[in-house]
Amino acid sequence: MRASALLRVELGSGGRSVVRELRSEAPVTLLPRRTVTASPDGTAVVHLVNSAATPVGGDEVDLRVLVGPGARLRLRGTAATIALPGPHGETSRSTVHIEVGAGGVVDYLPEATVISARADHRAEMTIELGDGARVRCRETLVLGRYGETPGRMTTTTHLVRSGTPLLRQRLDIGADRLGASSGYLAGARVLATETVVWGDDPAEPVSGEWWSLVPLAAGGSMATALGENAVTAERRLAEAMGHHPEAKELGVHSW
């Protein structure tokens, strides 16, 4: 299965952000929230819905998000994604490309991705920020369903601001050779990360029980948390983000 989705948001009259273009097809469905009172600050709110089982081995899914100068978008998931094996061991692929114009803002908060047994999934995210643009991006990876040995997943993240790379990261998860190591995720089943380019950055790294928050060398910061389940990992991630200088504006609540 091949599917693609496109979302374009621009700043409209009265300071409200408006969805100018929206195209999607199963299994990636984009649903805008249209009520006038949905977001008092004028942010466009769109829900990302998995309208079919995906990704299955062999699937290729692409999401492209364009946010114009000064516009604001909150793109949220509604349910977990489960990476499933193909009938012949094929690799599934997903790509997300987000472009944010000068002064624009994007919150990209999908739900967790579960790596089921025998799955082989590749996920790539590219974020390009203009001058003064802000982004908040979350990723939660769950190693298998309950009582299940996970398949393989490779994620790559490329974050660039005004032509300057802020983050280049690759993560291999679920590999047998790593899973055999006692140091691999310290035995945790869930890894949650949040990458933020938003106003002031932490002055220095901070950490707690199974979480950390570190500033990136060229700007921005990354929070990381581990847990035996998604609830615990996301609670620890929120604890890490609570130490960010912009925690209040980001709407981070202590647990």
Side-chain angles (χ1 to χ4, degrees):
M1 178 187 297
R2 294 189 177 185
S4 61
L6 172 66
L7 173 62
R8 182 166 61 89
V9 177
E10 295 181 353
L11 188 63
S13 60
R16 299 195 67 82
S17 298
V18 180
V19 176
R20 296 295 190 191
E21 186 174 4
L22 187 152
R23 291 189 280 113
S24 61
E25 54 187 340
V28 182
T29 301
L30 298 171
L31 297 177
R33 191 164 68 181
R34 300 184 182 278
T35 57
V36 175
T37 59
S39 182
D41 64 356
T43 299
V45 180
V46 179
H47 296 286
L48 180 61
V49 180
N50 292 331
S51 52
T54 188
V56 178
D59 286 357
E60 296 184 10
V61 180
D62 178 71
L63 170 63
R64 188 174 182 86
V65 178
L66 308 174
V67 177
R72 303 174 65 95
L73 169 67
R74 185 175 299 118
L75 181 57
R76 305 183 66 98
T78 59
T81 296
I82 302 178
L84 298 166
H88 306 293
E90 306 95 328
T91 298
S92 57
R93 302 181 187 278
S94 63
T95 57
V96 177
H97 189 104
I98 301 174
E99 296 180 26
V100 190
V105 179
V106 171
D107 281 273
Y108 178 54
L109 305 173
E111 292 297 318
T113 296
V114 181
I115 311 159
S116 68
R118 302 184 307 283
D120 187 1
H121 184 57
R122 303 289 184 269
E124 180 174 345
M125 172 175 290
T126 301
I127 303 173
E128 299 181 17
L129 304 177
D131 292 341
R134 299 186 176 195
V135 68
R136 178 186 186 187
C137 176
R138 184 182 301 157
E139 182 178 61
T140 303
L141 303 176
V142 182
L143 278 70
R145 292 168 288 193
Y146 181 77
E148 181 180 63
T149 300
R152 295 178 59 98
M153 182 172 183
T154 299
T155 70
T156 57
T157 303
H158 308 280
L159 174 60
V160 178
R161 179 175 59 187
S162 302
T164 300
L166 304 185
L167 178 66
R168 304 280 196 195
Q169 176 171 278
R170 169 174 167 153
L171 173 66
D172 291 293
I173 196 167
D176 292 340
R177 63 185 178 83
L178 294 178
S181 168
S182 60
Y184 178 59
L185 297 185
R189 289 185 58 247
V190 181
L191 169 65
T193 62
E194 193 160 314
T195 306
V196 177
V197 179
W198 202 288
D200 294 331
D201 298 318
E204 57 186 10
V206 292
S207 62
E209 185 177 3
W210 302 113
W211 63 261
S212 66
L213 174 67
V214 298
L216 303 176
S221 60
M222 173 178 281
T224 304
L226 297 173
E228 60 275 14
N229 54 58
V231 172
T232 300
E234 290 177 358
R235 173 179 58 80
R236 290 171 176 167
L237 188 67
E239 185 177 355
M241 287 301 302
H243 290 75
H244 194 283
E246 307 290 346
K248 184 175 181 180
E249 185 177 343
L250 286 163
V252 177
H253 301 288
S254 301
W255 287 62

PDB file of all heavy atoms in Angstrom, residues 218-251:
ATOM      1  N   ALA A 218      23.602  23.648  18.721  1.00  0.00           N
ATOM      2  CA  ALA A 218      23.302  24.795  17.869  1.00  0.00           C
ATOM      3  C   ALA A 218      21.922  25.384  18.135  1.00  0.00           C
ATOM      4  O   ALA A 218      21.434  26.222  17.371  1.00  0.00           O
ATOM      5  CB  ALA A 218      23.425  24.402  16.400  1.00  0.00           C
ATOM      6  N   GLY A 219      21.286  24.954  19.235  1.00  0.00           N
ATOM      7  CA  GLY A 219      19.970  25.474  19.590  1.00  0.00           C
ATOM      8  C   GLY A 219      18.928  24.379  19.680  1.00  0.00           C
ATOM      9  O   GLY A 219      19.014  23.362  18.988  1.00  0.00           O
ATOM     10  N   GLY A 220      17.949  24.576  20.552  1.00  0.00           N
ATOM     11  CA  GLY A 220      16.942  23.554  20.793  1.00  0.00           C
ATOM     12  C   GLY A 220      17.362  22.616  21.909  1.00  0.00           C
ATOM     13  O   GLY A 220      18.450  22.753  22.500  1.00  0.00           O
ATOM     14  N   SER A 221      16.515  21.657  22.230  1.00  0.00           N
ATOM     15  CA  SER A 221      16.811  20.697  23.295  1.00  0.00           C
ATOM     16  C   SER A 221      16.065  19.408  23.040  1.00  0.00           C
ATOM     17  O   SER A 221      15.107  19.358  22.253  1.00  0.00           O
ATOM     18  CB  SER A 221      16.433  21.271  24.660  1.00  0.00           C
ATOM     19  OG  SER A 221      15.040  21.579  24.708  1.00  0.00           O
ATOM     20  N   MET A 222      16.499  18.351  23.723  1.00  0.00           N
ATOM     21  CA  MET A 222      15.849  17.047  23.595  1.00  0.00           C
ATOM     22  C   MET A 222      15.666  16.422  24.967  1.00  0.00           C
ATOM     23  O   MET A 222      16.611  16.349  25.754  1.00  0.00           O
ATOM     24  CB  MET A 222      16.658  16.108  22.702  1.00  0.00           C
ATOM     25  CG  MET A 222      16.113  14.680  22.686  1.00  0.00           C
ATOM     26  SD  MET A 222      17.025  13.561  21.596  1.00  0.00           S
ATOM     27  CE  MET A 222      16.319  14.051  20.022  1.00  0.00           C
ATOM     28  N   ALA A 223      14.441  15.960  25.219  1.00  0.00           N
ATOM     29  CA  ALA A 223      14.132  15.214  26.433  1.00  0.00           C
ATOM     30  C   ALA A 223      13.990  13.743  26.065  1.00  0.00           C
ATOM     31  O   ALA A 223      13.447  13.404  25.014  1.00  0.00           O
ATOM     32  CB  ALA A 223      12.851  15.720  27.074  1.00  0.00           C
ATOM     33  N   THR A 224      14.473  12.864  26.938  1.00  0.00           N
ATOM     34  CA  THR A 224      14.415  11.421  26.714  1.00  0.00           C
ATOM     35  C   THR A 224      13.969  10.746  28.002  1.00  0.00           C
ATOM     36  O   THR A 224      14.397  11.142  29.093  1.00  0.00           O
ATOM     37  CB  THR A 224      15.789  10.872  26.299  1.00  0.00           C
ATOM     38  OG1 THR A 224      16.248  11.573  25.143  1.00  0.00           O
ATOM     39  CG2 THR A 224      15.716   9.391  25.984  1.00  0.00           C
ATOM     40  N   ALA A 225      13.118   9.729  27.866  1.00  0.00           N
ATOM     41  CA  ALA A 225      12.655   8.991  29.055  1.00  0.00           C
ATOM     42  C   ALA A 225      12.462   7.523  28.705  1.00  0.00           C
ATOM     43  O   ALA A 225      12.111   7.180  27.567  1.00  0.00           O
ATOM     44  CB  ALA A 225      11.353   9.583  29.578  1.00  0.00           C
ATOM     45  N   LEU A 226      12.692   6.652  29.680  1.00  0.00           N
ATOM     46  CA  LEU A 226      12.475   5.223  29.537  1.00  0.00           C
ATOM     47  C   LEU A 226      11.428   4.771  30.540  1.00  0.00           C
ATOM     48  O   LEU A 226      11.268   5.367  31.606  1.00  0.00           O
ATOM     49  CB  LEU A 226      13.773   4.453  29.789  1.00  0.00           C
ATOM     50  CG  LEU A 226      14.944   4.702  28.841  1.00  0.00           C
ATOM     51  CD1 LEU A 226      16.189   3.978  29.355  1.00  0.00           C
ATOM     52  CD2 LEU A 226      14.608   4.255  27.437  1.00  0.00           C
ATOM     53  N   GLY A 227      10.719   3.690  30.191  1.00  0.00           N
ATOM     54  CA  GLY A 227       9.734   3.154  31.120  1.00  0.00           C
ATOM     55  C   GLY A 227       9.344   1.743  30.750  1.00  0.00           C
ATOM     56  O   GLY A 227       9.568   1.291  29.624  1.00  0.00           O
ATOM     57  N   GLU A 228       8.749   1.044  31.709  1.00  0.00           N
ATOM     58  CA  GLU A 228       8.286  -0.314  31.445  1.00  0.00           C
ATOM     59  C   GLU A 228       6.978  -0.324  30.670  1.00  0.00           C
ATOM     60  O   GLU A 228       6.572  -1.348  30.128  1.00  0.00           O
ATOM     61  CB  GLU A 228       8.121  -1.084  32.759  1.00  0.00           C
ATOM     62  CG  GLU A 228       7.124  -0.488  33.739  1.00  0.00           C
ATOM     63  CD  GLU A 228       7.734   0.600  34.624  1.00  0.00           C
ATOM     64  OE1 GLU A 228       8.837   1.094  34.316  1.00  0.00           O
ATOM     65  OE2 GLU A 228       7.082   0.941  35.636  1.00  0.00           O
ATOM     66  N   ASN A 229       6.295   0.825  30.599  1.00  0.00           N
ATOM     67  CA  ASN A 229       5.080   0.961  29.803  1.00  0.00           C
ATOM     68  C   ASN A 229       4.975   2.409  29.333  1.00  0.00           C
ATOM     69  O   ASN A 229       5.724   3.289  29.798  1.00  0.00           O
ATOM     70  CB  ASN A 229       3.838   0.540  30.596  1.00  0.00           C
ATOM     71  CG  ASN A 229       3.727   1.282  31.908  1.00  0.00           C
ATOM     72  OD1 ASN A 229       3.675   2.502  31.958  1.00  0.00           O
ATOM     73  ND2 ASN A 229       3.709   0.527  33.016  1.00  0.00           N
ATOM     74  N   ALA A 230       4.041   2.672  28.403  1.00  0.00           N
ATOM     75  CA  ALA A 230       3.935   4.002  27.799  1.00  0.00           C
ATOM     76  C   ALA A 230       3.524   5.059  28.819  1.00  0.00           C
ATOM     77  O   ALA A 230       4.006   6.194  28.771  1.00  0.00           O
ATOM     78  CB  ALA A 230       2.943   3.963  26.637  1.00  0.00           C
ATOM     79  N   VAL A 231       2.644   4.701  29.741  1.00  0.00           N
ATOM     80  CA  VAL A 231       2.199   5.675  30.738  1.00  0.00           C
ATOM     81  C   VAL A 231       3.368   6.151  31.591  1.00  0.00           C
ATOM     82  O   VAL A 231       3.554   7.348  31.819  1.00  0.00           O
ATOM     83  CB  VAL A 231       1.082   5.073  31.619  1.00  0.00           C
ATOM     84  CG1 VAL A 231       0.755   6.016  32.775  1.00  0.00           C
ATOM     85  CG2 VAL A 231      -0.170   4.822  30.792  1.00  0.00           C
ATOM     86  N   THR A 232       4.183   5.217  32.040  1.00  0.00           N
ATOM     87  CA  THR A 232       5.336   5.572  32.872  1.00  0.00           C
ATOM     88  C   THR A 232       6.349   6.390  32.090  1.00  0.00           C
ATOM     89  O   THR A 232       6.868   7.403  32.585  1.00  0.00           O
ATOM     90  CB  THR A 232       5.998   4.305  33.429  1.00  0.00           C
ATOM     91  OG1 THR A 232       5.057   3.581  34.223  1.00  0.00           O
ATOM     92  CG2 THR A 232       7.209   4.654  34.278  1.00  0.00           C
ATOM     93  N   ALA A 233       6.659   5.962  30.860  1.00  0.00           N
ATOM     94  CA  ALA A 233       7.636   6.691  30.048  1.00  0.00           C
ATOM     95  C   ALA A 233       7.166   8.110  29.761  1.00  0.00           C
ATOM     96  O   ALA A 233       7.956   9.065  29.851  1.00  0.00           O
ATOM     97  CB  ALA A 233       7.896   5.937  28.750  1.00  0.00           C
ATOM     98  N   GLU A 234       5.896   8.293  29.443  1.00  0.00           N
ATOM     99  CA  GLU A 234       5.392   9.631  29.126  1.00  0.00           C
ATOM    100  C   GLU A 234       5.290  10.495  30.381  1.00  0.00           C
ATOM    101  O   GLU A 234       5.446  11.710  30.317  1.00  0.00           O
ATOM    102  CB  GLU A 234       4.061   9.519  28.393  1.00  0.00           C
ATOM    103  CG  GLU A 234       4.257   8.947  26.981  1.00  0.00           C
ATOM    104  CD  GLU A 234       2.972   8.738  26.225  1.00  0.00           C
ATOM    105  OE1 GLU A 234       1.885   9.004  26.806  1.00  0.00           O
ATOM    106  OE2 GLU A 234       3.029   8.309  25.059  1.00  0.00           O
ATOM    107  N   ARG A 235       5.034   9.871  31.537  1.00  0.00           N
ATOM    108  CA  ARG A 235       5.064  10.631  32.784  1.00  0.00           C
ATOM    109  C   ARG A 235       6.471  11.151  33.053  1.00  0.00           C
ATOM    110  O   ARG A 235       6.651  12.318  33.426  1.00  0.00           O
ATOM    111  CB  ARG A 235       4.582   9.762  33.947  1.00  0.00           C
ATOM    112  CG  ARG A 235       4.736  10.433  35.316  1.00  0.00           C
ATOM    113  CD  ARG A 235       4.217   9.559  36.438  1.00  0.00           C
ATOM    114  NE  ARG A 235       4.873   8.270  36.484  1.00  0.00           N
ATOM    115  CZ  ARG A 235       6.077   8.055  37.017  1.00  0.00           C
ATOM    116  NH1 ARG A 235       6.761   9.076  37.512  1.00  0.00           N
ATOM    117  NH2 ARG A 235       6.585   6.847  37.045  1.00  0.00           N
ATOM    118  N   ARG A 236       7.462  10.291  32.842  1.00  0.00           N
ATOM    119  CA  ARG A 236       8.852  10.716  33.039  1.00  0.00           C
ATOM    120  C   ARG A 236       9.264  11.754  31.998  1.00  0.00           C
ATOM    121  O   ARG A 236      10.037  12.672  32.298  1.00  0.00           O
ATOM    122  CB  ARG A 236       9.764   9.499  32.986  1.00  0.00           C
ATOM    123  CG  ARG A 236       9.598   8.581  34.195  1.00  0.00           C
ATOM    124  CD  ARG A 236      10.338   7.265  34.035  1.00  0.00           C
ATOM    125  NE  ARG A 236      10.216   6.458  35.256  1.00  0.00           N
ATOM    126  CZ  ARG A 236      10.535   5.167  35.334  1.00  0.00           C
ATOM    127  NH1 ARG A 236      10.999   4.540  34.251  1.00  0.00           N
ATOM    128  NH2 ARG A 236      10.389   4.510  36.463  1.00  0.00           N
ATOM    129  N   LEU A 237       8.743  11.636  30.791  1.00  0.00           N
ATOM    130  CA  LEU A 237       9.042  12.630  29.764  1.00  0.00           C
ATOM    131  C   LEU A 237       8.477  13.994  30.162  1.00  0.00           C
ATOM    132  O   LEU A 237       9.136  15.031  30.007  1.00  0.00           O
ATOM    133  CB  LEU A 237       8.459  12.190  28.422  1.00  0.00           C
ATOM    134  CG  LEU A 237       8.850  13.024  27.208  1.00  0.00           C
ATOM    135  CD1 LEU A 237      10.336  12.878  26.919  1.00  0.00           C
ATOM    136  CD2 LEU A 237       8.021  12.614  25.990  1.00  0.00           C
ATOM    137  N   ALA A 238       7.263  13.995  30.695  1.00  0.00           N
ATOM    138  CA  ALA A 238       6.672  15.246  31.176  1.00  0.00           C
ATOM    139  C   ALA A 238       7.483  15.828  32.328  1.00  0.00           C
ATOM    140  O   ALA A 238       7.640  17.050  32.431  1.00  0.00           O
ATOM    141  CB  ALA A 238       5.221  15.005  31.612  1.00  0.00           C
ATOM    142  N   GLU A 239       8.018  14.964  33.180  1.00  0.00           N
ATOM    143  CA  GLU A 239       8.857  15.433  34.277  1.00  0.00           C
ATOM    144  C   GLU A 239      10.115  16.106  33.732  1.00  0.00           C
ATOM    145  O   GLU A 239      10.541  17.164  34.220  1.00  0.00           O
ATOM    146  CB  GLU A 239       9.230  14.269  35.195  1.00  0.00           C
ATOM    147  CG  GLU A 239      10.004  14.678  36.432  1.00  0.00           C
ATOM    148  CD  GLU A 239      10.293  13.508  37.363  1.00  0.00           C
ATOM    149  OE1 GLU A 239       9.810  12.390  37.097  1.00  0.00           O
ATOM    150  OE2 GLU A 239      11.014  13.730  38.361  1.00  0.00           O
ATOM    151  N   ALA A 240      10.705  15.494  32.701  1.00  0.00           N
ATOM    152  CA  ALA A 240      11.884  16.099  32.076  1.00  0.00           C
ATOM    153  C   ALA A 240      11.541  17.452  31.461  1.00  0.00           C
ATOM    154  O   ALA A 240      12.252  18.450  31.666  1.00  0.00           O
ATOM    155  CB  ALA A 240      12.448  15.161  31.014  1.00  0.00           C
ATOM    156  N   MET A 241      10.426  17.505  30.718  1.00  0.00           N
ATOM    157  CA  MET A 241      10.039  18.752  30.059  1.00  0.00           C
ATOM    158  C   MET A 241       9.641  19.823  31.060  1.00  0.00           C
ATOM    159  O   MET A 241       9.686  21.021  30.771  1.00  0.00           O
ATOM    160  CB  MET A 241       8.894  18.494  29.081  1.00  0.00           C
ATOM    161  CG  MET A 241       9.323  17.745  27.815  1.00  0.00           C
ATOM    162  SD  MET A 241      10.590  18.645  26.883  1.00  0.00           S
ATOM    163  CE  MET A 241       9.742  20.188  26.561  1.00  0.00           C
ATOM    164  N   GLY A 242       9.264  19.404  32.261  1.00  0.00           N
ATOM    165  CA  GLY A 242       8.941  20.377  33.301  1.00  0.00           C
ATOM    166  C   GLY A 242      10.136  21.213  33.710  1.00  0.00           C
ATOM    167  O   GLY A 242       9.970  22.268  34.333  1.00  0.00           O
ATOM    168  N   HIS A 243      11.348  20.778  33.354  1.00  0.00           N
ATOM    169  CA  HIS A 243      12.561  21.534  33.663  1.00  0.00           C
ATOM    170  C   HIS A 243      12.975  22.452  32.514  1.00  0.00           C
ATOM    171  O   HIS A 243      13.999  23.131  32.607  1.00  0.00           O
ATOM    172  CB  HIS A 243      13.711  20.567  33.997  1.00  0.00           C
ATOM    173  CG  HIS A 243      13.546  19.857  35.305  1.00  0.00           C
ATOM    174  ND1 HIS A 243      12.654  18.821  35.485  1.00  0.00           N
ATOM    175  CD2 HIS A 243      14.143  20.049  36.514  1.00  0.00           C
ATOM    176  CE1 HIS A 243      12.719  18.395  36.736  1.00  0.00           C
ATOM    177  NE2 HIS A 243      13.605  19.117  37.377  1.00  0.00           N
ATOM    178  N   HIS A 244      12.195  22.459  31.451  1.00  0.00           N
ATOM    179  CA  HIS A 244      12.510  23.341  30.326  1.00  0.00           C
ATOM    180  C   HIS A 244      12.126  24.778  30.689  1.00  0.00           C
ATOM    181  O   HIS A 244      11.093  25.009  31.330  1.00  0.00           O
ATOM    182  CB  HIS A 244      11.742  22.905  29.076  1.00  0.00           C
ATOM    183  CG  HIS A 244      12.238  23.519  27.812  1.00  0.00           C
ATOM    184  ND1 HIS A 244      11.947  24.821  27.449  1.00  0.00           N
ATOM    185  CD2 HIS A 244      13.018  23.017  26.820  1.00  0.00           C
ATOM    186  CE1 HIS A 244      12.513  25.090  26.284  1.00  0.00           C
ATOM    187  NE2 HIS A 244      13.172  24.021  25.877  1.00  0.00           N
ATOM    188  N   PRO A 245      12.955  25.783  30.316  1.00  0.00           N
ATOM    189  CA  PRO A 245      12.622  27.178  30.659  1.00  0.00           C
ATOM    190  C   PRO A 245      11.274  27.643  30.116  1.00  0.00           C
ATOM    191  O   PRO A 245      10.666  28.546  30.682  1.00  0.00           O
ATOM    192  CB  PRO A 245      13.772  27.971  30.006  1.00  0.00           C
ATOM    193  CG  PRO A 245      14.895  27.002  29.886  1.00  0.00           C
ATOM    194  CD  PRO A 245      14.261  25.667  29.646  1.00  0.00           C
ATOM    195  N   GLU A 246      10.792  27.004  29.030  1.00  0.00           N
ATOM    196  CA  GLU A 246       9.517  27.400  28.434  1.00  0.00           C
ATOM    197  C   GLU A 246       8.394  26.423  28.784  1.00  0.00           C
ATOM    198  O   GLU A 246       7.396  26.345  28.081  1.00  0.00           O
ATOM    199  CB  GLU A 246       9.668  27.488  26.910  1.00  0.00           C
ATOM    200  CG  GLU A 246      10.808  28.372  26.430  1.00  0.00           C
ATOM    201  CD  GLU A 246      10.544  29.847  26.678  1.00  0.00           C
ATOM    202  OE1 GLU A 246       9.383  30.205  26.978  1.00  0.00           O
ATOM    203  OE2 GLU A 246      11.502  30.641  26.589  1.00  0.00           O
ATOM    204  N   ALA A 247       8.540  25.689  29.875  1.00  0.00           N
ATOM    205  CA  ALA A 247       7.566  24.652  30.225  1.00  0.00           C
ATOM    206  C   ALA A 247       6.151  25.200  30.337  1.00  0.00           C
ATOM    207  O   ALA A 247       5.194  24.581  29.865  1.00  0.00           O
ATOM    208  CB  ALA A 247       7.974  23.971  31.533  1.00  0.00           C
ATOM    209  N   LYS A 248       6.001  26.374  30.939  1.00  0.00           N
ATOM    210  CA  LYS A 248       4.665  26.940  31.115  1.00  0.00           C
ATOM    211  C   LYS A 248       4.029  27.259  29.775  1.00  0.00           C
ATOM    212  O   LYS A 248       2.859  26.937  29.533  1.00  0.00           O
ATOM    213  CB  LYS A 248       4.742  28.199  31.986  1.00  0.00           C
ATOM    214  CG  LYS A 248       3.381  28.805  32.292  1.00  0.00           C
ATOM    215  CD  LYS A 248       3.516  29.981  33.247  1.00  0.00           C
ATOM    216  CE  LYS A 248       2.144  30.572  33.575  1.00  0.00           C
ATOM    217  NZ  LYS A 248       2.262  31.723  34.515  1.00  0.00           N
ATOM    218  N   GLU A 249       4.781  27.881  28.882  1.00  0.00           N
ATOM    219  CA  GLU A 249       4.228  28.222  27.566  1.00  0.00           C
ATOM    220  C   GLU A 249       3.939  26.965  26.755  1.00  0.00           C
ATOM    221  O   GLU A 249       2.994  26.914  25.973  1.00  0.00           O
ATOM    222  CB  GLU A 249       5.188  29.123  26.798  1.00  0.00           C
ATOM    223  CG  GLU A 249       4.610  29.605  25.477  1.00  0.00           C
ATOM    224  CD  GLU A 249       5.528  30.555  24.743  1.00  0.00           C
ATOM    225  OE1 GLU A 249       6.451  31.091  25.359  1.00  0.00           O
ATOM    226  OE2 GLU A 249       5.316  30.751  23.532  1.00  0.00           O
ATOM    227  N   LEU A 250       4.758  25.934  26.946  1.00  0.00           N
ATOM    228  CA  LEU A 250       4.544  24.670  26.237  1.00  0.00           C
ATOM    229  C   LEU A 250       3.353  23.899  26.800  1.00  0.00           C
ATOM    230  O   LEU A 250       2.930  22.897  26.207  1.00  0.00           O
ATOM    231  CB  LEU A 250       5.806  23.813  26.328  1.00  0.00           C
ATOM    232  CG  LEU A 250       6.980  24.251  25.460  1.00  0.00           C
ATOM    233  CD1 LEU A 250       8.268  23.603  25.921  1.00  0.00           C
ATOM    234  CD2 LEU A 250       6.720  23.942  23.995  1.00  0.00           C
ATOM    235  N   GLY A 251       2.833  24.332  27.925  1.00  0.00           N
ATOM    236  CA  GLY A 251       1.682  23.649  28.513  1.00  0.00           C
ATOM    237  C   GLY A 251       2.042  22.352  29.197  1.00  0.00           C
ATOM    238  O   GLY A 251       1.214  21.441  29.290  1.00  0.00           O
TER     239      GLY A 251
END
